[in-house]
């Protein structure tokens, strides 16, 4: 199929490269010239395992190209819109400027019979509004909403072999045709039995935000238990193991720690709450405000633990292991690790931070921190070591060897990912969250 992908960020670049890998003819379009130049030369503008390989092979095959020229979309019959929907600066809602601009420009180049497919995460009601614009501007074109569930760090795999496909389409023949075309786009996944849910626009939009609301709630639930564990001397990791054996609860996403971040969960739960309030149903999602608060309190808890360890934060030497919001990604959007590092620096601690992939993006956002190329370099002469992103490079550290480099053997395990006994045996003071 001939496909255009509008917006080539974390979602769009992976989608474009993966669709070409599956055999489609793809053009990726973005307003960011730097990004397009990098992608055109086969380089990923961000760290994502596997992306450089699919980019290189798809460009070499001639099936994938990138441009800033929207007119290139005219050659495609299916157009995916994957632009950003960040939080507005002055509230909780999603900023819809990029989606609206992308559709307005795309519609200048679309033709009757084309299927325009929204992939961005949007407030419920957006697709119905855009469908009117599509129908009135290009009669005979159809809008579908096909939310994306990829996980950064596994984005290529999740795009090529998703765990489910959701198509929001209009009722009637146009919607049935759009669903058939999406089945062709995803033919390889459909052939292997991937569940396909064909539904209306509102349900498709809600599937995405409710999935993220559920995941955020699960993390904040266990972090609330961590708060109670801290007050009672219980161990939240054992508690999670024990309740996780109940298949109705499940152990995944039940790791207490410094909480969730990134370009999706935090802004998605806030936008979902904002949309519920607009609909007069704010009460239904009032719990998400608590979910957000629990999550942010964990960051302050880490700052408190550092203070307890060093006494006075001013001048204390803190080694920060991790900056990305999660391992296997360089994404620092709303990263708990970077936020804690900035809070400590604000309190005049001397923070030296490291991360296998996020140094460059963090240095751009937080120039007040000192950066080191490795854990060994970061921990040199540190009064306390704080682990906030569970990269294998950090979870595999040898406490005895690292202990030779620090000023004091004190570690705060903000992801509960280290073996407390091993660190204590090597002479460290070990502090986890909720244990
Ligand atoms: P991003 O910021 O990495 O990428 C957005 C891209 O859109 C940027 O490259 C930007 O230059 C481009 N853009 C903005 N306006 C444009 C326009 N008018 N025309 C063309 N390009 C334009 O964001 P992202 O993480 O890729 O997220 C995109 C959407 O996908 C968001 O709605 C997000 O919530 C959703 N999503 C993201 C993920 C993820 O893991 N990153 C997963 C699922 C869903």
């Amino acid at each position: 199929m001939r496909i255009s992908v509008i917006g080539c960020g974390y979602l769009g670049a992976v989608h474009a490269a993966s669709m070409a890998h599956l055999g489609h003819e793809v053009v990726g379009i973005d307003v960011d010239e730097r990004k397009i130049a990098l992608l055109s030369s086969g380089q990923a503008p961000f760290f994502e395992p596997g992306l450089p390989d699919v980019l290189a092979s798809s460009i070499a095959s001639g099936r994938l190209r990138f441009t800033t020229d929207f007119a290139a979309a005219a050659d495609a019959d299916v157009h995916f819109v994957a632009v950003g929907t960040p939080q507005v600066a002055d509230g909780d809602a999603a900023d819809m400027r990029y989606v609206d601009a992308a559709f307005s420009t795309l519609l200048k180049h679309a033709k009757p019979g084309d299927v325009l497919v929204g992939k961005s995460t949007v407030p419920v009601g957006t697709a119905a509004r855009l469908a009117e614009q599509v129908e009135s501007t290009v009669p005979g074109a159809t809008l579908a909403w096909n939310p994306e569930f990829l996980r950064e760090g596994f984005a290529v795999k999740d795009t090529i072999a998703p765990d489910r496909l959701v198509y929001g389409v209009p009722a009637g023949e146009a919607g049935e045709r759009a669903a058939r075309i999406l089945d062709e786009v995803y033919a390889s996944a459909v052939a292997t039995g991937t569940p396909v849910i064909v539904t209306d626009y509102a349900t498709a939009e809600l599937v995405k935000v409710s999935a993220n609301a559920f995941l955020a709630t699960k993390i904040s639930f266990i972090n609330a238990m961590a708060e109670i564990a801290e007050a009672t001397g219980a161990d939240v990791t054992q508690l999670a193991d024990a309740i996780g054996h109940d298949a109705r609860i499940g152990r995944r996403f039940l790791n207490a720690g410094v909480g969730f971040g990134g370009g999706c969960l935090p802004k998605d739960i806030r936008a979902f709450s904002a949309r519920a309030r607009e609909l007069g149903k704010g009460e239904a999602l009032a719990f998400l405000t608590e979910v957000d608060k629990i999550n942010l309190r964990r960051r302050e808890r880490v700052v408190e633990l550092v203070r307890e360890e060093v006494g006075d934060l001013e001048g204390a030497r803190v080694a920060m292991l991790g900056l990305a919001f999660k391992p296997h990604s360089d994404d620092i959007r709303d990263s708990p690790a970077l936020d804690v590092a900035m809070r400590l620096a604000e309190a005049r601690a001397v923070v030296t931070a490291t991360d296998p992939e996020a140094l460059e993006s963090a240095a751009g956002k937080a120039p007040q921190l000192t950066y080191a190329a490795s854990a060994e370099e970061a921990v040199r002469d540190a009064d306390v070591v704080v682990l906030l992103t569970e990269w294998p490079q950090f979870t595999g550290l040898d406490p005895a060897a690292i202990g030779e480099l620090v000023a004091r053997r004190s570690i705060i395990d903000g992801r509960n990912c280290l073996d407390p006994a091993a660190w204590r045996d090597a002479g460290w003071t070990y502090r986890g969250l909720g244990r």
Side-chain angles (χ1 to χ4, degrees), residues 9-11 30 35 70 82-83 85 121 148 152 264 267 333:
Y10 281 90
L11 165 50
D30 201 291
K35 216 171 255 183
F70 261 80
V83 300
T85 48
T121 303
E148 178 57 57
E152 285 178 23
C264 290
K267 62 105 176 154
R333 289 178 289 182

Side-chain angles (χ1 to χ4, degrees), residues 69-76 79 104-111 114:
D69 181 7
F70 261 80
D75 297 333
H79 312 272
S104 293
T105 318
L106 174 59
L107 282 169
K108 293 186 185 139
H109 305 284
K111 55 194 178 302
D114 283 5

Side-chain angles (χ1 to χ4, degrees), residues 6-12 29-32 35 46 70 82-86 97-99 101-102 105 119-122 148-152 208 263-264 267-268 331 333:
I6 316 299
C8 296
Y10 281 90
L11 165 50
I29 302 174
D30 201 291
V31 290
D32 184 333
K35 216 171 255 183
F46 48 85
F70 261 80
V83 300
T85 48
R97 277 180 299 173
Y98 309 101
V99 169
T105 318
K119 272 221 152 291
S120 303
T121 303
V122 294
E148 178 57 57
F149 304 100
L150 68 81
R151 298 159 300 163
E152 285 178 23
K208 175 65 195 174
C264 290
K267 62 105 176 154
D268 286 352
D331 197 345
R333 289 178 289 182

Side-chain angles (χ1 to χ4, degrees), residues 85-88 91-97 121-123 267-268 270-272 274-275:
T85 48
Q87 188 175 340
V88 292
D92 286 343
D95 189 341
M96 295 303 292
R97 277 180 299 173
T121 303
V122 294
K267 62 105 176 154
D268 286 352
R270 290 171 199 150
F272 195 13
R275 184 69 184 126

Side-chain angles (χ1 to χ4, degrees), residues 384-402:
V384 59
V385 178
V386 185
L387 193 167
L388 292 181
T389 314
E390 65 276 40
W391 282 98
Q393 289 91 326
F394 304 149
T395 57
L397 284 173
D398 173 7
I402 282 287

